[in-house]
């Protein structure tokens, strides 16, 4: 009996050990725990792998533990709330990001996120319970030092840095176990006006980017997926890690004061609810919380009869005056169809990032464009991935046989390989025929723009453009609009965004209305001689049918009037504007500062001399600090002066991953445990072990007493 008793104890202990081990090493080394924003008190039990409801709500998130080779990666949860206040042509945006840490260690979260390329980021607040800490603009190196010192001292801290004009990084240090920290950033942007429609776009995700070049030294603590290369020296900063199982819910609320009663309000890619607050104010929200997978776009339009051709806004701040002018030339008088034959060169991206819906959209758009060509036109098609292939050696007449050949060429394209557009762009420019001057030469570039070497491509266009015009078409759910817009600016063309196949016909028709009409060129805004005025961008780009002239000035005083002039194929365009009719507004100074910094930064990127580059850096830094704006050389930092992390506690740095395409990964088996901020499963099993041992000892005592 004694032997049987001890055998029973041994078997029981072995069984409990196996059970405990299985609880820690889950199938495929993967355990997923869902939680609410108060993980320490959450009690909701998930019983089915197919039902993970909490991550579908904006106030929830997920934490993932990866158990492989005795290492563990903690996934910080992230929720995003967006509030937009649109007044006339200015959009003021507040983006709240809540970092939640349900683990048992102190963590630092690092998150790479997108913003519109024209956003003027000027405000940061860090929310810790009821405490609100305001961020300060500092030179980037100084801001990083302040942040690192606070992190080391155990203080809660937040840092916002610009990696690209449309890519930012948020770092949040010393998030306590089981708690949350919310940071809020604010920015301002101009509403886009095109073809009598007003629109704004909010990017939702940083797509995977192709990084060319030879690997160079990369910081040991870099969290990006790609190492730095000699062509993209900051690749590790703009390639956030991906996880297919991580939801990134986003809620969006918009107050729209258009200045008129919109005839239509629509979102191209998301379901929205619209509520009339009053005659001129609408409240717009998403019908359901969106996943960060597709850029959000809102479009509204006035009644035809209420359309205005002019909007003027003024602001006085710190003794200076700021003026914003938006004017739309009459289509009938200025943009009559052009009879000059055209040479159109199409460049289409067939790299791996274009696979699926993007490739389908691009093919349909290209075929429609080819079919719009006239017999008097000539054209060529250049396909590229990591290499390029032209359909013809040079542009050929747009006769039926050549169009059919081009259509077959397009339909046969498949998306694979890397994204190397440089040589294709060079070929488009250098394959001009001797009589190219007899044609209106236009280059149309169809791509998602998912590359990390933007400045290399922009410099190439700037070098080769000459008298050509470059039009860009952004394809897919989240194209790189910074690259697309900048290329169109330098190419004196226009940018068109196509987010889904159903938009191709409408968007391409609008684009061809621009291609087939003359541009308004050499646009100037003339003020009285007694006015000292500085325009933010320096020059106004060429204007096409349906577009709007936008100019922002800093002045010593407001003039009584100003005049806009430009050249058309039919002669001189002239428009006199009475400034006394201007409406007072806020935020124009911020927009002027943002555009001025953009102009200076573009110039800085083109410099080679070290002395000139340093002078450029100093000028940009000073301007950004004066206007309290995040830039290439300035950042926003917020510090809680009270230390919160005990000195002996370890701080773990974690990259907050972005959600990626599920089709790229094989499904993993997942075990779902009770939602809690503690090691509930481990404690439960240990407790069970103690109870059973006590029971066995008690049994031994009973047997021995017999």
């Amino acid at each position: 009996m004694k032997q049987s008793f001890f055998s029973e104890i041994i078997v029981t202990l072995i069984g409990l050990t196996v059970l405990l081990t299985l609880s820690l090493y889950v199938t495929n080394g993967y355990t997923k725990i869902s939680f609410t924003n108060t993980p320490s008190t959450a009690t909701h039990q998930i019983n089915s792998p197919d039902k993970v409801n909490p991550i579908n709500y904006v106030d929830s998130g997920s934490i993932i533990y990866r158990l492989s080779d005795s290492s563990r990666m903690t996934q910080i949860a992230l929720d995003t709330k967006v509030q937009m206040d649109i007044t006339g042509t200015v959009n003021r945006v507040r983006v709240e990001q809540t970092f939640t840490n349900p683990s048992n260690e102190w963590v630092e979260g690092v998150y790479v996120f997108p913003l519109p390329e024209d956003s003027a980021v000027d405000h940061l607040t860090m929310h810790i319970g009821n405490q609100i800490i305001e961020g300060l603009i500092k030179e980037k190196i100084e801001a990083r030092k302040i942040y690192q010192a606070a992190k080391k001292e155990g203080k809660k801290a937040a840092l916002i840095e610009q990696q690209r004009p449309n890519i930012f990084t948020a770092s949040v240090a010393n998030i306590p176990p089981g708690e949350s920290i919310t940071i809020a950033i604010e920015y301002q942007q101009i509403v886009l006006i095109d073809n009598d429609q007003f629109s704004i776009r909010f990017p939702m995700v940083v797509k995977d980017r192709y990084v060319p070049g030879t690997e160079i030294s990369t910081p040991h603590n870099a969290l990006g997926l790609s190492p730095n290369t000699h062509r993209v020296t900051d690749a590790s900063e703009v390639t956030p890690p991906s996880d297919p199982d991580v939801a990134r819910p986003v809620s969006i609320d918009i107050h729209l004061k258009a200045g008129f009663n919109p005839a239509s309000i629509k979102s191209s890619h998301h379901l929205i609810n619209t509520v009339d607050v009053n005659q001129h104010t609408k409240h717009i929200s998403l019908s359901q919380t969106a996943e960060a997978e597709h850029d959000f776009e809102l479009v509204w339009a006035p009644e035809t009869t209420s359309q205005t051709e002019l909007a003027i806004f003024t602001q006085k701040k710190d003794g200076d005056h700021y003026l914003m002018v938006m004017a739309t030339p009459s289509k009938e008088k200025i943009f009559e169809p052009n009879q000059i034959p055209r040479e159109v060169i199409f460049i289409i991206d067939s790299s791996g990032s274009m696979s699926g819906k993007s490739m389908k959209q691009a093919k349909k758009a290209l075929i429609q464009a080819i079919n719009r060509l006239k017999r008097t036109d000539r054209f060529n098609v250049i396909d590229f991935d990591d290499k390029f292939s032209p359909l013809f050696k040079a542009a050929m007449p747009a006769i039926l046989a050549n169009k059919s050949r081009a259509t077959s060429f397009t339909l046969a394209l498949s998306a694979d390989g890397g994204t190397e557009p440089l040589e294709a762009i060079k070929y488009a420019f250098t394959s001009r025929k001797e009589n190219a001057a007899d044609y209106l030469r236009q280059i149309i570039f169809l791509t998602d723009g998912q590359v990390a070497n933007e400045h290399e491509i922009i410099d190439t266009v700037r070098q080769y453009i000459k008298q050509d015009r470059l039009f860009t078409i952004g394809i897919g759910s989240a194209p790189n609009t910074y690259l697309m817009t900048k290329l169109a600016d330098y190419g004196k063309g226009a940018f068109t965004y196509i987010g889904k196949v159903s938009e191709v016909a409408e968007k391409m028709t609008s684009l061809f209305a621009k291609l087939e009409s003359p541009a308004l060129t050499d646009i100037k805004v003339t003020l009285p001689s007694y006015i000292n005025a500085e325009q933010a961008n320096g020059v106004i780009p060429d204007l096409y049918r349906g577009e709007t002239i936008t100019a922002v000035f800093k002045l010593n005083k407001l003039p009584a009037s100003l005049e806009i002039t430009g050249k058309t194929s039919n002669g001189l365009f002239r428009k006199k504007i009475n400034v006394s009719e201007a409406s007072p507004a806020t935020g124009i100074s911020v927009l002027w500062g943002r555009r001025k910094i953009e102009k200076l930064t573009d110039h800085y990127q083109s410099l080679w001399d070290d002395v000139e580059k340093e002078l450029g850096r100093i000028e940009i830094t000073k301007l950004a600090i004066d206007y309290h704006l995040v830039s290439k050389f300035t950042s926003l930092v917020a510090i809680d002066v009270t230390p919160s992390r005990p000195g002996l506690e370890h701080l773990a740095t974690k990259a907050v991953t972005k959600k990626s395409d599920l089709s790229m990964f094989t499904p993993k088996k997942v075990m779902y445990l009770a939602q809690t901020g503690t090691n509930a499963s481990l404690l439960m099993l240990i407790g069970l072990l103690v109870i059973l041992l006590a029971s066995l000892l008690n049994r031994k005592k009973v047997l021995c007493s017999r």
Side-chain angles (χ1 to χ4, degrees), residues 378-397:
R378 62 189 187 190
F379 78 105
N380 200 0
V381 179
I382 305 171
D383 158 55
F384 77 91
D385 42 41
D386 40 29
K387 299 179 181 177
F388 77 96
S389 300
L391 173 60
F392 308 115
K393 290 183 179 180
M396 298 291 287

Side-chain angles (χ1 to χ4, degrees), residues 69 77 88 152 162 248 274 310 361 409 470 569 577 638 661 677 694:
D69 301 324
K152 186 177 181 180
Q162 177 184 302
R248 289 282 167 257
T274 302
L310 183 66
Q361 294 163 17
F409 178 84
L470 176 62
S569 59
I577 296 173
D661 187 1

Side-chain angles (χ1 to χ4, degrees), residues 145-210:
K145 288 180 179 178
I146 294 171
Y147 174 82
Q148 292 295 342
K151 182 173 73 172
K152 186 177 181 180
E153 295 167 2
K155 301 174 181 178
K156 297 182 179 68
L159 177 69
I160 302 296
E161 296 181 300
Q162 177 184 302
Q163 308 300 341
R164 294 284 196 277
N166 61 337
I167 299 180
F168 293 75
T169 299
S171 300
V172 185
N174 292 309
I175 309 174
E179 294 188 19
S180 300
I181 293 178
T182 296
I183 65 169
I185 61 172
E186 295 181 25
Y187 68 85
Q188 209 158 269
Q189 68 176 155
I190 292 288
V191 173
L192 176 66
I193 306 175
D194 193 9
N195 289 310
D196 305 332
Q197 292 187 325
F198 297 70
S199 67
I200 55 93
R201 192 158 67 89
F202 182 77
M204 301 278 259
V205 64
V206 178
K207 288 280 192 177
D208 294 329
R209 296 192 171 198
Y210 179 76

